[in-house]
Each structure stands twice: as C-alpha cells, then as structure tokens.
Amino acid sequence: MQPQNITILGATGSIGTSTLDVISRNAEQYKVFAVSGYSQIEKLVEIACQFSPEYIVTADKSLASKLFQALPDSHKHSCQIKFGVEGLEFIASHPKTDTVMAAIVGAAGLKPIMSAIRASKRILLANKESLVMSGELFMRAVKQHNATLIPVDSEHNAIFQCLPDDYCYGDKASSGISHLLLTASGGPFRTMPINLLDDVSPEQACAHPNWDMGKKISVDSASMMNKGLEFIEARWLFGLNAENIKVVVHPQSTIHSMVQYVDGSVIAQMGNPDMRTPIAHALGYPKRVTSGVKALDFFNLTDFSFEAACPKRFPNLFLAMQACEKGQAATTALNAANEIAVDAFLNEQIRFTDIYKLNRIVVEHFSEQALADISQVIQHDLLCREYAAYKVQELSD
C-alpha cells in the first residue's frame, strides 16, 4: 500500500512541527510531499534533509534563493522551491497531494486552503481564522467540491470525536444534541487581579500554563480571543446556532471539549494537553495511529474543576460571541483587527487590554457589509486591517 502524500502548510510552526513528529512515527503510512515555511530557512533545511519533500514554499523570491543556497547539494535538484501565495496554492492543489495539513496561522491561510477545497482534497484544518473569515462561503465550497474537512484544533477535534458517527451537518435534533461545550484553560491570567491586566508583558501573555504554542495563539489564549474564534469556528464546522454552543473554563486542560445530549448524557474527549493527539486522529481517521503522546494516567489526575468565563476579565470572548450573531462581516472584521492588535501588543505598541479596545472599535465600524464571495471577504479583511493599524497609532499615542 502506497503511503499518503501529505502537504503541510506552515511546517515550521508548532502544529507543523508536531505533524512532522507524528508522520515520522508512522513513516510507512505517510510521506511528506510538500511543505511551506514563511522565513525560517534553517528549519526548512532540516525538514528537507529529514523528510525529502518534493516541494518547499517560502514567503518570497529572495528567501527562496537563500533556501536553495542553504540546501545540501544532494537536495538541490530533488526538491523544487517555490514562493508566495502562488506557491502555496500550487502545493495545496497539486494532483499528487492527498491530504493538506492547513497550519498557517491567520488570514494568510485562506487562499491556499480554498485552493485545496477546489481541488477536492482531504483537509486537516488547524487554521481557525480562515473559517472565521469566510464561514458560510467556506463550508459551501467544501460541499460543492466534495472536499473532506477534519478539524485539528483540540477542541473541535474533541467535539468531532464525541458526535454520533451518523451526524448530519446542522441537524441537531435528529442526533439528540443539546449543546456543544468548548473547554478553555483560562490561560495565564485566569486568577490575576483584573486591575493588573493593563500592565502585563508579552512574555507573561505567552507563558501558557498547559500548552506549548506560538506567540500569536498564546496571546489569543491569554485574552480568550482564541476561544472566541473557536466559538465562531464551531458554529460553522458543525452547522449549529450560537445558542447551541457554550464555553466552560476548565483549567486542567484534560477534557478537550464535550457534547451534551438531550437525555442528560455528556460525552467528553480527554487526553494530555499535546497537539499530537488531535493531529494523529485527523491523519489516521477513521483509524487510529501512534502519536507519541503519553497515555493519560487516571491514578494521578488532579481534580477536575469548571467555571464560567468572566466578561470583565475576558471581554474578547464575549465580543466574538456578539460578532458571531452579527454575521460574516463582523467576524471577518474581528479576526483582522485581532491580528493587528496582537502584533502591536507583541511589539509593545499597545497594552494587553488595548487588544479588546481595538477589536471592538473595528467590529463596530465594519459589521454591516454584505460579503457575497471570497474576493469580497479578502477586500473587507484588508480594509479592516488598514483601519485597525490606523487606530493602533491612536492607542499608542
């Protein structure tokens, strides 16, 4: 049996690195066909030497040249180098690509993922922002092109595992579902006095108590925007209304999410907080493959605890819920503003609490437009980013 050809968009990030680790443990089943990495040339060389992909994509022509020079002679002619959005779309839709791991962070992942959808690929979705941006248009394209979509985010993958095998998209009643329950750790500031949040540093925000993640997603977790984006993503992934989705803070991060049924049953997916578990599940589905994650030790577990999220502590979560109710323009604006705000915070231009202020301003300004296709979504995203960047200057003065 021939191994599956896997294309990894965002191979040098935390999800991409974990994916490569799982593939290395199941080398007889999977082959790394193509990878992308924005600008981390050294990591891309390591990947090329270990996995021998046929294609590597970098951010631009200059970086592609640097990568070629850095590759060992033995790989210079066996690996083709491409760059930019066109390069990403090329590998995502390539006829030899069987499965696409969509792990590029942020709006940059939308175009290549849409290329994979139009090519009817099997897509493992770790990029929540693309679905937040395009929602109904995204899911309509998946259906139209008969693509396969499997969620990789630990929460959505957990829900996917807890749903009935015969779940019909959006049909809550026939499946006996009452609610989806998204769990949240609460991040590093769950118990910090609220009056101290103004002055937290990027280093503090990136110090997640349970998960090892990149800077952007770590800040999103600290502000609970990550859970807000996941709330919107869940609404589209499973076709349910916002009132059928709840967020519950679970500091131990052992239960990754749950499905509550009308008969009173709750089915939960549990495991150690390691992204290799949902990655392995998505890669192997409907079978199971080795992930390298240590088994959960039930004899040494700490007590489980649960609590409601505080609106004053985590206003970004509730802003995301409101945007979800408003519609596509609002969620696109929210995602665009948040990417600008988090970058400004990481560069110490604005305070941590200014992230919410900026997000709210942009959502209120850009929530009424009708977005009929992906090109309009992308244009709306750009306008929101420009406005958010302008507002960063006001907040930083």
Side-chain angles (χ1 to χ4, degrees):
M1 184 176 176
Q2 287 289 102
Q4 281 190 52
N5 279 334
I6 311 297
T7 286
I8 306 174
L9 305 176
T12 57
S14 60
I15 297 294
T17 300
S18 293
T19 303
L20 290 167
D21 181 83
V22 174
I23 289 174
S24 70
R25 298 170 188 274
N26 300 274
E28 72 288 350
Q29 298 184 57
Y30 308 107
K31 179 187 182 301
V32 177
F33 171 69
V35 298
S36 79
Y38 189 76
S39 61
Q40 297 190 53
I41 300 302
E42 189 174 321
K43 281 191 176 182
L44 288 172
V45 170
E46 290 176 6
I47 292 169
C49 292
Q50 182 176 353
F51 294 96
S52 298
E54 294 186 29
Y55 294 95
I56 301 180
V57 178
T58 63
D60 56 41
K61 189 174 182 179
S62 173
L63 287 165
S65 177
K66 288 181 181 179
L67 175 60
F68 181 78
Q69 296 301 322
L71 284 174
D73 290 341
S74 57
H75 288 77
K76 275 185 165 63
H77 302 292
S78 62
C79 176
Q80 297 187 50
I81 301 172
K82 294 185 174 292
F83 59 88
V85 175
E86 294 81 5
L88 294 172
E89 292 180 314
F90 176 85
I91 62 172
S93 61
H94 195 285
K96 290 176 68 175
T97 293
D98 296 315
T99 296
V100 175
M101 170 58 77
I104 295 175
V105 175
L110 179 58
K111 282 189 173 182
I113 295 171
M114 289 303 298
S115 292
I117 290 172
R118 287 190 287 268
S120 305
K121 299 300 183 183
R122 186 172 185 265
I123 301 158
L124 315 184
L125 187 66
N127 173 288
K128 63 178 68 65
E129 293 88 353
S130 59
L131 194 50
V132 169
M133 284 177 66
S134 58
E136 185 176 3
L137 297 170
F138 187 104
M139 296 306 297
R140 188 188 303 161
V142 169
K143 183 177 181 180
Q144 178 185 349
H145 296 283
N146 200 30
T148 299
L149 190 66
I150 301 175
V152 172
D153 272 346
S154 60
E155 294 81 3
H156 303 93
N157 182 266
I159 289 169
F160 183 80
Q161 293 191 52
C162 294
L163 288 171
D165 290 339
D166 61 352
Y167 176 70
C168 181
Y169 183 82
D171 190 353
K172 178 175 75 77
S174 67
S175 299
I177 294 169
S178 172
H179 289 90
L180 307 183
L181 296 166
L182 286 170
T183 58
S185 69
F189 305 140
R190 183 177 65 88
T191 59
M192 178 179 283
I194 292 174
N195 64 332
L196 299 182
L197 292 176
D198 267 348
D199 298 318
V200 300
S201 68
E203 290 74 24
Q204 288 174 292
C206 290
H208 196 283
N210 301 333
W211 296 91
D212 181 16
M213 306 178 291
K215 289 184 177 181
K216 195 269 181 183
I217 194 171
S218 294
V219 174
D220 281 349
S221 181
S223 72
M224 282 274 271
M225 176 55 80
N226 194 46
K227 205 56 51 180
L229 298 177
E230 289 172 4
F231 182 96
I232 299 166
E233 184 183 9
R235 183 257 181 274
W236 292 114
L237 271 175
F238 305 112
L240 299 183
N241 295 322
E243 61 263 27
N244 303 129
I245 306 168
K246 295 181 179 180
V247 173
V248 57
V249 177
H250 167 53
Q252 293 81 18
S253 295
T254 304
I255 295 176
H256 299 303
S257 275
M258 300 170 275
V259 176
Q260 192 167 37
Y261 290 87
V262 294
D263 63 1
S265 300
V266 178
I267 298 178
Q269 190 271 335
M270 302 169 64
N272 284 314
D274 190 318
M275 282 305 299
R276 290 177 297 173
T277 295
I279 289 168
H281 173 266
L283 274 171
Y285 183 81
K287 297 182 178 179
R288 301 275 177 171
V289 301
T290 299
S291 68
V293 178
K294 185 179 179 182
L296 197 60
D297 183 356
F298 284 92
F299 300 100
N300 288 297
L301 282 179
T302 57
D303 292 337
F304 290 165
S305 60
F306 304 93
E307 60 193 59
C310 172
K312 290 184 178 180
R313 181 181 299 281
F314 299 121
N316 276 296
L317 169 63
F318 295 88
L319 178 65
M321 292 176 174
Q322 293 162 12
C324 188
E325 295 279 10
K326 287 184 177 181
Q328 190 63 77
T331 59
T332 303
L334 176 69
N335 181 70
N338 187 65
E339 289 192 23
I340 297 297
V342 170
D343 184 68
F345 169 67
L346 288 170
N347 287 296
E348 301 184 351
Q349 295 174 271
I350 63 174
R351 294 181 172 188
F352 179 74
T353 48
D354 288 335
I355 296 174
Y356 165 70
K357 293 176 185 177
L358 183 63
N359 290 341
R360 178 176 53 78
I361 289 168
V362 176
V363 168
E364 289 176 353
H365 194 77
F366 287 99
S367 62
E368 301 301 326
Q369 290 82 345
L371 305 177
D373 55 42
I374 294 297
S375 63
Q376 289 184 10
V377 168
I378 293 171
Q379 182 60 33
H380 186 66
D381 173 77
L382 291 173
L383 287 173
C384 293
R385 287 170 188 274
E386 289 174 1
Y387 187 71
Y390 168 73
K391 288 295 181 179
V392 164
Q393 297 304 315
E394 289 188 3
L395 288 171
S396 60
D397 288 344

